PDB file of all heavy atoms in Angstrom:
ATOM      1  N   MET L   1       5.986 -33.787 -64.814  1.00  0.00           N
ATOM      2  CA  MET L   1       5.020 -34.370 -63.877  1.00  0.00           C
ATOM      3  C   MET L   1       5.307 -35.855 -63.709  1.00  0.00           C
ATOM      4  O   MET L   1       5.599 -36.557 -64.671  1.00  0.00           O
ATOM      5  CB  MET L   1       3.597 -34.175 -64.403  1.00  0.00           C
ATOM      6  CG  MET L   1       2.514 -34.706 -63.464  1.00  0.00           C
ATOM      7  SD  MET L   1       0.864 -34.513 -64.147  1.00  0.00           S
ATOM      8  CE  MET L   1       0.872 -35.823 -65.348  1.00  0.00           C
ATOM      9  N   ILE L   2       5.193 -36.332 -62.484  1.00  0.00           N
ATOM     10  CA  ILE L   2       5.383 -37.760 -62.236  1.00  0.00           C
ATOM     11  C   ILE L   2       4.283 -38.559 -62.916  1.00  0.00           C
ATOM     12  O   ILE L   2       3.129 -38.145 -62.975  1.00  0.00           O
ATOM     13  CB  ILE L   2       5.389 -38.050 -60.728  1.00  0.00           C
ATOM     14  CG1 ILE L   2       5.775 -39.515 -60.470  1.00  0.00           C
ATOM     15  CG2 ILE L   2       4.054 -37.752 -60.082  1.00  0.00           C
ATOM     16  CD1 ILE L   2       6.059 -39.791 -59.017  1.00  0.00           C
ATOM     17  N   HIS L   3       4.659 -39.691 -63.483  1.00  0.00           N
ATOM     18  CA  HIS L   3       3.675 -40.562 -64.131  1.00  0.00           C
ATOM     19  C   HIS L   3       3.424 -41.764 -63.234  1.00  0.00           C
ATOM     20  O   HIS L   3       4.333 -42.537 -62.952  1.00  0.00           O
ATOM     21  CB  HIS L   3       4.171 -41.029 -65.486  1.00  0.00           C
ATOM     22  CG  HIS L   3       3.266 -42.049 -66.126  1.00  0.00           C
ATOM     23  ND1 HIS L   3       1.978 -41.740 -66.521  1.00  0.00           N
ATOM     24  CD2 HIS L   3       3.456 -43.360 -66.407  1.00  0.00           C
ATOM     25  CE1 HIS L   3       1.415 -42.812 -67.041  1.00  0.00           C
ATOM     26  NE2 HIS L   3       2.271 -43.820 -66.975  1.00  0.00           N
ATOM     27  N   ILE L   4       2.196 -41.909 -62.778  1.00  0.00           N
ATOM     28  CA  ILE L   4       1.829 -43.049 -61.943  1.00  0.00           C
ATOM     29  C   ILE L   4       1.013 -44.018 -62.786  1.00  0.00           C
ATOM     30  O   ILE L   4      -0.104 -43.694 -63.205  1.00  0.00           O
ATOM     31  CB  ILE L   4       1.009 -42.602 -60.719  1.00  0.00           C
ATOM     32  CG1 ILE L   4       1.836 -41.648 -59.871  1.00  0.00           C
ATOM     33  CG2 ILE L   4       0.560 -43.788 -59.900  1.00  0.00           C
ATOM     34  CD1 ILE L   4       3.121 -42.256 -59.352  1.00  0.00           C
ATOM     35  N   PRO L   5       1.530 -45.184 -63.075  1.00  0.00           N
ATOM     36  CA  PRO L   5       0.762 -46.155 -63.869  1.00  0.00           C
ATOM     37  C   PRO L   5      -0.482 -46.605 -63.114  1.00  0.00           C
ATOM     38  O   PRO L   5      -0.389 -47.345 -62.146  1.00  0.00           O
ATOM     39  CB  PRO L   5       1.751 -47.316 -64.061  1.00  0.00           C
ATOM     40  CG  PRO L   5       3.098 -46.778 -63.670  1.00  0.00           C
ATOM     41  CD  PRO L   5       2.826 -45.691 -62.679  1.00  0.00           C
ATOM     42  N   GLN L   6      -1.653 -46.160 -63.551  1.00  0.00           N
ATOM     43  CA  GLN L   6      -2.873 -46.453 -62.805  1.00  0.00           C
ATOM     44  C   GLN L   6      -3.164 -47.951 -62.764  1.00  0.00           C
ATOM     45  O   GLN L   6      -3.736 -48.454 -61.811  1.00  0.00           O
ATOM     46  CB  GLN L   6      -4.053 -45.700 -63.428  1.00  0.00           C
ATOM     47  CG  GLN L   6      -3.992 -44.192 -63.206  1.00  0.00           C
ATOM     48  CD  GLN L   6      -3.976 -43.833 -61.735  1.00  0.00           C
ATOM     49  OE1 GLN L   6      -4.761 -44.348 -60.953  1.00  0.00           O
ATOM     50  NE2 GLN L   6      -3.074 -42.946 -61.334  1.00  0.00           N
ATOM     51  N   VAL L   9      -1.513 -49.341 -59.764  1.00  0.00           N
ATOM     52  CA  VAL L   9      -2.176 -48.953 -58.524  1.00  0.00           C
ATOM     53  C   VAL L   9      -3.422 -49.797 -58.294  1.00  0.00           C
ATOM     54  O   VAL L   9      -3.736 -50.177 -57.177  1.00  0.00           O
ATOM     55  CB  VAL L   9      -2.542 -47.450 -58.575  1.00  0.00           C
ATOM     56  CG1 VAL L   9      -3.412 -47.069 -57.402  1.00  0.00           C
ATOM     57  CG2 VAL L   9      -1.272 -46.604 -58.597  1.00  0.00           C
ATOM     58  N   VAL L 123       6.959 -36.035 -53.333  1.00  0.00           N
ATOM     59  CA  VAL L 123       6.281 -35.602 -52.106  1.00  0.00           C
ATOM     60  C   VAL L 123       4.779 -35.588 -52.372  1.00  0.00           C
ATOM     61  O   VAL L 123       4.309 -35.001 -53.349  1.00  0.00           O
ATOM     62  CB  VAL L 123       6.752 -34.205 -51.665  1.00  0.00           C
ATOM     63  CG1 VAL L 123       5.937 -33.723 -50.458  1.00  0.00           C
ATOM     64  CG2 VAL L 123       8.242 -34.218 -51.327  1.00  0.00           C
ATOM     65  N   LEU L 124       4.030 -36.262 -51.496  1.00  0.00           N
ATOM     66  CA  LEU L 124       2.579 -36.326 -51.601  1.00  0.00           C
ATOM     67  C   LEU L 124       1.946 -35.557 -50.455  1.00  0.00           C
ATOM     68  O   LEU L 124       2.490 -35.505 -49.352  1.00  0.00           O
ATOM     69  CB  LEU L 124       2.085 -37.774 -51.540  1.00  0.00           C
ATOM     70  CG  LEU L 124       2.744 -38.804 -52.462  1.00  0.00           C
ATOM     71  CD1 LEU L 124       2.119 -40.177 -52.216  1.00  0.00           C
ATOM     72  CD2 LEU L 124       2.597 -38.409 -53.913  1.00  0.00           C
ATOM     73  N   LEU L 125       0.778 -34.995 -50.704  1.00  0.00           N
ATOM     74  CA  LEU L 125      -0.065 -34.420 -49.657  1.00  0.00           C
ATOM     75  C   LEU L 125      -1.194 -35.406 -49.382  1.00  0.00           C
ATOM     76  O   LEU L 125      -1.927 -35.788 -50.298  1.00  0.00           O
ATOM     77  CB  LEU L 125      -0.644 -33.079 -50.108  1.00  0.00           C
ATOM     78  CG  LEU L 125      -1.663 -32.433 -49.155  1.00  0.00           C
ATOM     79  CD1 LEU L 125      -0.998 -32.002 -47.851  1.00  0.00           C
ATOM     80  CD2 LEU L 125      -2.350 -31.238 -49.827  1.00  0.00           C
ATOM     81  N   HIS L 126      -1.320 -35.840 -48.122  1.00  0.00           N
ATOM     82  CA  HIS L 126      -2.440 -36.695 -47.705  1.00  0.00           C
ATOM     83  C   HIS L 126      -3.372 -35.795 -46.908  1.00  0.00           C
ATOM     84  O   HIS L 126      -3.108 -35.467 -45.752  1.00  0.00           O
ATOM     85  CB  HIS L 126      -1.925 -37.855 -46.854  1.00  0.00           C
ATOM     86  CG  HIS L 126      -2.944 -38.923 -46.612  1.00  0.00           C
ATOM     87  ND1 HIS L 126      -2.618 -40.266 -46.545  1.00  0.00           N
ATOM     88  CD2 HIS L 126      -4.292 -38.872 -46.415  1.00  0.00           C
ATOM     89  CE1 HIS L 126      -3.701 -40.979 -46.320  1.00  0.00           C
ATOM     90  NE2 HIS L 126      -4.722 -40.160 -46.225  1.00  0.00           N
ATOM     91  N   THR L 127      -4.462 -35.381 -47.535  1.00  0.00           N
ATOM     92  CA  THR L 127      -5.336 -34.396 -46.913  1.00  0.00           C
ATOM     93  C   THR L 127      -6.589 -35.044 -46.333  1.00  0.00           C
ATOM     94  O   THR L 127      -7.180 -35.939 -46.951  1.00  0.00           O
ATOM     95  CB  THR L 127      -5.720 -33.286 -47.905  1.00  0.00           C
ATOM     96  OG1 THR L 127      -6.676 -32.402 -47.304  1.00  0.00           O
ATOM     97  CG2 THR L 127      -6.320 -33.855 -49.177  1.00  0.00           C
ATOM     98  N   TYR L 147       0.059 -26.580 -55.241  1.00  0.00           N
ATOM     99  CA  TYR L 147      -0.514 -27.879 -55.592  1.00  0.00           C
ATOM    100  C   TYR L 147       0.298 -28.544 -56.707  1.00  0.00           C
ATOM    101  O   TYR L 147       0.615 -29.737 -56.648  1.00  0.00           O
ATOM    102  CB  TYR L 147      -1.962 -27.728 -56.051  1.00  0.00           C
ATOM    103  CG  TYR L 147      -2.982 -27.533 -54.950  1.00  0.00           C
ATOM    104  CD1 TYR L 147      -3.926 -26.507 -55.016  1.00  0.00           C
ATOM    105  CD2 TYR L 147      -3.026 -28.382 -53.854  1.00  0.00           C
ATOM    106  CE1 TYR L 147      -4.880 -26.332 -54.021  1.00  0.00           C
ATOM    107  CE2 TYR L 147      -3.974 -28.219 -52.852  1.00  0.00           C
ATOM    108  CZ  TYR L 147      -4.895 -27.185 -52.941  1.00  0.00           C
ATOM    109  OH  TYR L 147      -5.824 -27.028 -51.950  1.00  0.00           O
ATOM    110  N   ASN L 148       0.618 -27.774 -57.738  1.00  0.00           N
ATOM    111  CA  ASN L 148       1.295 -28.341 -58.890  1.00  0.00           C
ATOM    112  C   ASN L 148       2.741 -28.741 -58.602  1.00  0.00           C
ATOM    113  O   ASN L 148       3.355 -29.445 -59.405  1.00  0.00           O
ATOM    114  CB  ASN L 148       1.257 -27.357 -60.060  1.00  0.00           C
ATOM    115  CG  ASN L 148      -0.053 -27.410 -60.820  1.00  0.00           C
ATOM    116  OD1 ASN L 148      -0.643 -28.472 -60.967  1.00  0.00           O
ATOM    117  ND2 ASN L 148      -0.513 -26.269 -61.303  1.00  0.00           N
ATOM    118  N   SER L 149       3.281 -28.306 -57.477  1.00  0.00           N
ATOM    119  CA  SER L 149       4.634 -28.718 -57.113  1.00  0.00           C
ATOM    120  C   SER L 149       4.663 -30.130 -56.544  1.00  0.00           C
ATOM    121  O   SER L 149       5.737 -30.738 -56.430  1.00  0.00           O
ATOM    122  CB  SER L 149       5.219 -27.738 -56.085  1.00  0.00           C
ATOM    123  OG  SER L 149       4.585 -27.884 -54.820  1.00  0.00           O
ATOM    124  N   LEU L 150       3.488 -30.662 -56.193  1.00  0.00           N
ATOM    125  CA  LEU L 150       3.409 -31.973 -55.556  1.00  0.00           C
ATOM    126  C   LEU L 150       3.426 -33.095 -56.580  1.00  0.00           C
ATOM    127  O   LEU L 150       2.995 -32.928 -57.728  1.00  0.00           O
ATOM    128  CB  LEU L 150       2.128 -32.072 -54.726  1.00  0.00           C
ATOM    129  CG  LEU L 150       1.922 -31.004 -53.646  1.00  0.00           C
ATOM    130  CD1 LEU L 150       0.536 -31.140 -53.041  1.00  0.00           C
ATOM    131  CD2 LEU L 150       3.002 -31.105 -52.575  1.00  0.00           C
ATOM    132  N   ALA L 151       3.904 -34.259 -56.149  1.00  0.00           N
ATOM    133  CA  ALA L 151       3.844 -35.434 -57.007  1.00  0.00           C
ATOM    134  C   ALA L 151       2.446 -36.025 -57.039  1.00  0.00           C
ATOM    135  O   ALA L 151       2.070 -36.717 -57.992  1.00  0.00           O
ATOM    136  CB  ALA L 151       4.846 -36.485 -56.533  1.00  0.00           C
ATOM    137  N   GLY L 152       1.644 -35.773 -56.007  1.00  0.00           N
ATOM    138  CA  GLY L 152       0.288 -36.296 -55.971  1.00  0.00           C
ATOM    139  C   GLY L 152      -0.427 -35.884 -54.704  1.00  0.00           C
ATOM    140  O   GLY L 152       0.186 -35.390 -53.754  1.00  0.00           O
ATOM    141  N   ILE L 153      -1.746 -36.075 -54.686  1.00  0.00           N
ATOM    142  CA  ILE L 153      -2.583 -35.772 -53.519  1.00  0.00           C
ATOM    143  C   ILE L 153      -3.446 -36.982 -53.220  1.00  0.00           C
ATOM    144  O   ILE L 153      -4.046 -37.577 -54.127  1.00  0.00           O
ATOM    145  CB  ILE L 153      -3.476 -34.544 -53.762  1.00  0.00           C
ATOM    146  CG1 ILE L 153      -2.650 -33.325 -54.157  1.00  0.00           C
ATOM    147  CG2 ILE L 153      -4.292 -34.223 -52.501  1.00  0.00           C
ATOM    148  CD1 ILE L 153      -3.484 -32.106 -54.527  1.00  0.00           C
ATOM    149  N   ILE L 154      -3.516 -37.356 -51.948  1.00  0.00           N
ATOM    150  CA  ILE L 154      -4.357 -38.462 -51.492  1.00  0.00           C
ATOM    151  C   ILE L 154      -5.525 -37.873 -50.704  1.00  0.00           C
ATOM    152  O   ILE L 154      -5.314 -37.096 -49.761  1.00  0.00           O
ATOM    153  CB  ILE L 154      -3.570 -39.444 -50.620  1.00  0.00           C
ATOM    154  CG1 ILE L 154      -2.408 -40.054 -51.416  1.00  0.00           C
ATOM    155  CG2 ILE L 154      -4.483 -40.551 -50.081  1.00  0.00           C
ATOM    156  CD1 ILE L 154      -1.432 -40.834 -50.564  1.00  0.00           C
ATOM    157  N   PHE L 155      -6.747 -38.232 -51.083  1.00  0.00           N
ATOM    158  CA  PHE L 155      -7.946 -37.767 -50.406  1.00  0.00           C
ATOM    159  C   PHE L 155      -8.575 -38.905 -49.613  1.00  0.00           C
ATOM    160  O   PHE L 155      -8.431 -40.076 -49.977  1.00  0.00           O
ATOM    161  CB  PHE L 155      -8.970 -37.226 -51.406  1.00  0.00           C
ATOM    162  CG  PHE L 155      -8.528 -35.993 -52.139  1.00  0.00           C
ATOM    163  CD1 PHE L 155      -7.914 -36.088 -53.378  1.00  0.00           C
ATOM    164  CD2 PHE L 155      -8.714 -34.748 -51.582  1.00  0.00           C
ATOM    165  CE1 PHE L 155      -7.496 -34.951 -54.051  1.00  0.00           C
ATOM    166  CE2 PHE L 155      -8.303 -33.592 -52.241  1.00  0.00           C
ATOM    167  CZ  PHE L 155      -7.688 -33.695 -53.486  1.00  0.00           C
ATOM    168  N   GLU L 161     -12.288 -35.599 -53.198  1.00  0.00           N
ATOM    169  CA  GLU L 161     -11.598 -35.545 -54.495  1.00  0.00           C
ATOM    170  C   GLU L 161     -12.455 -34.822 -55.534  1.00  0.00           C
ATOM    171  O   GLU L 161     -11.959 -33.976 -56.299  1.00  0.00           O
ATOM    172  CB  GLU L 161     -11.266 -36.955 -54.972  1.00  0.00           C
ATOM    173  CG  GLU L 161     -10.462 -36.967 -56.274  1.00  0.00           C
ATOM    174  CD  GLU L 161     -10.270 -38.363 -56.837  1.00  0.00           C
ATOM    175  OE1 GLU L 161     -11.275 -39.111 -56.877  1.00  0.00           O
ATOM    176  OE2 GLU L 161      -9.150 -38.709 -57.246  1.00  0.00           O
ATOM    177  N   PHE L 164     -12.487 -31.152 -54.947  1.00  0.00           N
ATOM    178  CA  PHE L 164     -11.202 -30.561 -55.344  1.00  0.00           C
ATOM    179  C   PHE L 164     -11.162 -30.319 -56.850  1.00  0.00           C
ATOM    180  O   PHE L 164     -10.824 -29.219 -57.307  1.00  0.00           O
ATOM    181  CB  PHE L 164     -10.062 -31.496 -54.925  1.00  0.00           C
ATOM    182  CG  PHE L 164      -8.695 -31.023 -55.332  1.00  0.00           C
ATOM    183  CD1 PHE L 164      -8.056 -30.012 -54.629  1.00  0.00           C
ATOM    184  CD2 PHE L 164      -8.050 -31.597 -56.418  1.00  0.00           C
ATOM    185  CE1 PHE L 164      -6.799 -29.577 -54.994  1.00  0.00           C
ATOM    186  CE2 PHE L 164      -6.788 -31.169 -56.793  1.00  0.00           C
ATOM    187  CZ  PHE L 164      -6.163 -30.153 -56.082  1.00  0.00           C
ATOM    188  N   HIS L 165     -11.529 -31.318 -57.645  1.00  0.00           N
ATOM    189  CA  HIS L 165     -11.444 -31.172 -59.097  1.00  0.00           C
ATOM    190  C   HIS L 165     -12.443 -30.145 -59.628  1.00  0.00           C
ATOM    191  O   HIS L 165     -12.163 -29.461 -60.619  1.00  0.00           O
ATOM    192  CB  HIS L 165     -11.666 -32.520 -59.776  1.00  0.00           C
ATOM    193  CG  HIS L 165     -10.496 -33.446 -59.669  1.00  0.00           C
ATOM    194  ND1 HIS L 165      -9.234 -33.127 -60.119  1.00  0.00           N
ATOM    195  CD2 HIS L 165     -10.386 -34.694 -59.139  1.00  0.00           C
ATOM    196  CE1 HIS L 165      -8.398 -34.122 -59.896  1.00  0.00           C
ATOM    197  NE2 HIS L 165      -9.075 -35.087 -59.283  1.00  0.00           N
ATOM    198  N   LEU L 171      -5.509 -27.819 -62.538  1.00  0.00           N
ATOM    199  CA  LEU L 171      -4.269 -28.300 -61.938  1.00  0.00           C
ATOM    200  C   LEU L 171      -3.745 -29.542 -62.645  1.00  0.00           C
ATOM    201  O   LEU L 171      -4.506 -30.309 -63.228  1.00  0.00           O
ATOM    202  CB  LEU L 171      -4.478 -28.598 -60.454  1.00  0.00           C
ATOM    203  CG  LEU L 171      -4.813 -27.401 -59.567  1.00  0.00           C
ATOM    204  CD1 LEU L 171      -4.946 -27.842 -58.125  1.00  0.00           C
ATOM    205  CD2 LEU L 171      -3.753 -26.303 -59.694  1.00  0.00           C
ATOM    206  N   ASN L 172      -2.436 -29.712 -62.562  1.00  0.00           N
ATOM    207  CA  ASN L 172      -1.766 -30.816 -63.224  1.00  0.00           C
ATOM    208  C   ASN L 172      -1.088 -31.689 -62.177  1.00  0.00           C
ATOM    209  O   ASN L 172       0.133 -31.817 -62.133  1.00  0.00           O
ATOM    210  CB  ASN L 172      -0.734 -30.258 -64.217  1.00  0.00           C
ATOM    211  CG  ASN L 172      -0.128 -31.341 -65.081  1.00  0.00           C
ATOM    212  OD1 ASN L 172      -0.748 -32.376 -65.317  1.00  0.00           O
ATOM    213  ND2 ASN L 172       1.083 -31.105 -65.550  1.00  0.00           N
ATOM    214  N   VAL L 173      -1.900 -32.293 -61.306  1.00  0.00           N
ATOM    215  CA  VAL L 173      -1.365 -33.134 -60.234  1.00  0.00           C
ATOM    216  C   VAL L 173      -2.239 -34.380 -60.094  1.00  0.00           C
ATOM    217  O   VAL L 173      -3.470 -34.275 -60.048  1.00  0.00           O
ATOM    218  CB  VAL L 173      -1.295 -32.353 -58.899  1.00  0.00           C
ATOM    219  CG1 VAL L 173      -2.639 -31.756 -58.519  1.00  0.00           C
ATOM    220  CG2 VAL L 173      -0.746 -33.218 -57.781  1.00  0.00           C
ATOM    221  N   PRO L 174      -1.647 -35.579 -60.062  1.00  0.00           N
ATOM    222  CA  PRO L 174      -2.433 -36.805 -59.900  1.00  0.00           C
ATOM    223  C   PRO L 174      -3.116 -36.837 -58.530  1.00  0.00           C
ATOM    224  O   PRO L 174      -2.564 -36.364 -57.535  1.00  0.00           O
ATOM    225  CB  PRO L 174      -1.390 -37.921 -60.011  1.00  0.00           C
ATOM    226  CG  PRO L 174      -0.210 -37.306 -60.680  1.00  0.00           C
ATOM    227  CD  PRO L 174      -0.209 -35.871 -60.256  1.00  0.00           C
ATOM    228  N   THR L 175      -4.314 -37.412 -58.484  1.00  0.00           N
ATOM    229  CA  THR L 175      -5.040 -37.543 -57.221  1.00  0.00           C
ATOM    230  C   THR L 175      -5.472 -38.986 -57.023  1.00  0.00           C
ATOM    231  O   THR L 175      -5.675 -39.739 -57.982  1.00  0.00           O
ATOM    232  CB  THR L 175      -6.274 -36.622 -57.174  1.00  0.00           C
ATOM    233  OG1 THR L 175      -7.191 -36.986 -58.211  1.00  0.00           O
ATOM    234  CG2 THR L 175      -5.871 -35.159 -57.332  1.00  0.00           C
ATOM    235  N   HIS L 176      -5.632 -39.360 -55.749  1.00  0.00           N
ATOM    236  CA  HIS L 176      -6.016 -40.714 -55.379  1.00  0.00           C
ATOM    237  C   HIS L 176      -6.970 -40.634 -54.187  1.00  0.00           C
ATOM    238  O   HIS L 176      -6.944 -39.660 -53.423  1.00  0.00           O
ATOM    239  CB  HIS L 176      -4.793 -41.550 -54.988  1.00  0.00           C
ATOM    240  CG  HIS L 176      -3.650 -41.437 -55.944  1.00  0.00           C
ATOM    241  ND1 HIS L 176      -3.530 -42.212 -57.062  1.00  0.00           N
ATOM    242  CD2 HIS L 176      -2.565 -40.600 -55.944  1.00  0.00           C
ATOM    243  CE1 HIS L 176      -2.429 -41.888 -57.718  1.00  0.00           C
ATOM    244  NE2 HIS L 176      -1.827 -40.917 -57.059  1.00  0.00           N
ATOM    245  N   VAL L 177      -7.793 -41.661 -54.014  1.00  0.00           N
ATOM    246  CA  VAL L 177      -8.689 -41.757 -52.865  1.00  0.00           C
ATOM    247  C   VAL L 177      -8.354 -43.019 -52.083  1.00  0.00           C
ATOM    248  O   VAL L 177      -8.319 -44.113 -52.649  1.00  0.00           O
ATOM    249  CB  VAL L 177     -10.168 -41.797 -53.295  1.00  0.00           C
ATOM    250  CG1 VAL L 177     -11.073 -42.044 -52.078  1.00  0.00           C
ATOM    251  CG2 VAL L 177     -10.560 -40.497 -53.986  1.00  0.00           C
ATOM    252  N   ILE L 369      -0.245 -47.375 -53.829  1.00  0.00           N
ATOM    253  CA  ILE L 369       0.077 -46.018 -54.286  1.00  0.00           C
ATOM    254  C   ILE L 369       1.522 -45.682 -53.951  1.00  0.00           C
ATOM    255  O   ILE L 369       2.281 -45.161 -54.791  1.00  0.00           O
ATOM    256  CB  ILE L 369      -0.896 -45.003 -53.662  1.00  0.00           C
ATOM    257  CG1 ILE L 369      -2.307 -45.223 -54.197  1.00  0.00           C
ATOM    258  CG2 ILE L 369      -0.441 -43.570 -53.929  1.00  0.00           C
ATOM    259  CD1 ILE L 369      -3.383 -44.428 -53.494  1.00  0.00           C
ATOM    260  N   ALA L 372       3.902 -47.389 -56.337  1.00  0.00           N
ATOM    261  CA  ALA L 372       3.965 -46.793 -57.670  1.00  0.00           C
ATOM    262  C   ALA L 372       4.874 -45.567 -57.691  1.00  0.00           C
ATOM    263  O   ALA L 372       5.676 -45.392 -58.619  1.00  0.00           O
ATOM    264  CB  ALA L 372       2.560 -46.422 -58.137  1.00  0.00           C
ATOM    265  N   TYR L 373       4.780 -44.729 -56.667  1.00  0.00           N
ATOM    266  CA  TYR L 373       5.634 -43.542 -56.622  1.00  0.00           C
ATOM    267  C   TYR L 373       7.087 -43.910 -56.355  1.00  0.00           C
ATOM    268  O   TYR L 373       8.014 -43.325 -56.929  1.00  0.00           O
ATOM    269  CB  TYR L 373       5.126 -42.569 -55.563  1.00  0.00           C
ATOM    270  CG  TYR L 373       3.934 -41.752 -56.006  1.00  0.00           C
ATOM    271  CD1 TYR L 373       2.637 -42.154 -55.712  1.00  0.00           C
ATOM    272  CD2 TYR L 373       4.098 -40.588 -56.731  1.00  0.00           C
ATOM    273  CE1 TYR L 373       1.539 -41.434 -56.119  1.00  0.00           C
ATOM    274  CE2 TYR L 373       3.014 -39.840 -57.150  1.00  0.00           C
ATOM    275  CZ  TYR L 373       1.742 -40.263 -56.838  1.00  0.00           C
ATOM    276  OH  TYR L 373       0.653 -39.539 -57.269  1.00  0.00           O
ATOM    277  N   SER L 376       8.607 -45.321 -59.532  1.00  0.00           N
ATOM    278  CA  SER L 376       8.844 -44.304 -60.534  1.00  0.00           C
ATOM    279  C   SER L 376      10.048 -43.435 -60.151  1.00  0.00           C
ATOM    280  O   SER L 376      10.960 -43.233 -60.934  1.00  0.00           O
ATOM    281  CB  SER L 376       7.610 -43.429 -60.706  1.00  0.00           C
ATOM    282  OG  SER L 376       7.890 -42.328 -61.536  1.00  0.00           O
ATOM    283  N   SER L 378      10.529 -40.406 -59.938  1.00  0.00           N
ATOM    284  CA  SER L 378      10.724 -39.097 -60.571  1.00  0.00           C
ATOM    285  C   SER L 378       9.939 -38.033 -59.846  1.00  0.00           C
ATOM    286  O   SER L 378       8.970 -38.308 -59.152  1.00  0.00           O
ATOM    287  CB  SER L 378      10.297 -39.151 -62.040  1.00  0.00           C
ATOM    288  OG  SER L 378       8.922 -39.462 -62.134  1.00  0.00           O
ATOM    289  N   LYS L 380       8.633 -33.637 -60.037  1.00  0.00           N
ATOM    290  CA  LYS L 380       8.365 -32.552 -60.980  1.00  0.00           C
ATOM    291  C   LYS L 380       9.561 -31.624 -61.057  1.00  0.00           C
ATOM    292  O   LYS L 380      10.278 -31.452 -60.097  1.00  0.00           O
ATOM    293  CB  LYS L 380       7.128 -31.781 -60.544  1.00  0.00           C
ATOM    294  CG  LYS L 380       5.868 -32.609 -60.639  1.00  0.00           C
ATOM    295  CD  LYS L 380       4.676 -31.774 -60.269  1.00  0.00           C
ATOM    296  CE  LYS L 380       3.396 -32.580 -60.412  1.00  0.00           C
ATOM    297  NZ  LYS L 380       2.202 -31.787 -60.097  1.00  0.00           N
TER     298      LYS L 380
END
Side-chain angles (χ1 to χ4, degrees):
M1 182 182 75
I2 188 169
H3 174 65
I4 299 300
Q6 290 301 313
V9 171
V123 175
L124 310 179
L125 174 67
H126 192 144
T127 175
Y147 282 131
N148 278 325
S149 71
L150 304 173
I153 304 175
I154 299 169
F155 295 94
E161 184 187 46
F164 177 77
H165 285 303
L171 295 182
N172 188 26
V173 55
T175 62
H176 313 274
V177 174
I369 293 171
Y373 281 95
S376 172
S378 62
K380 293 183 178 182

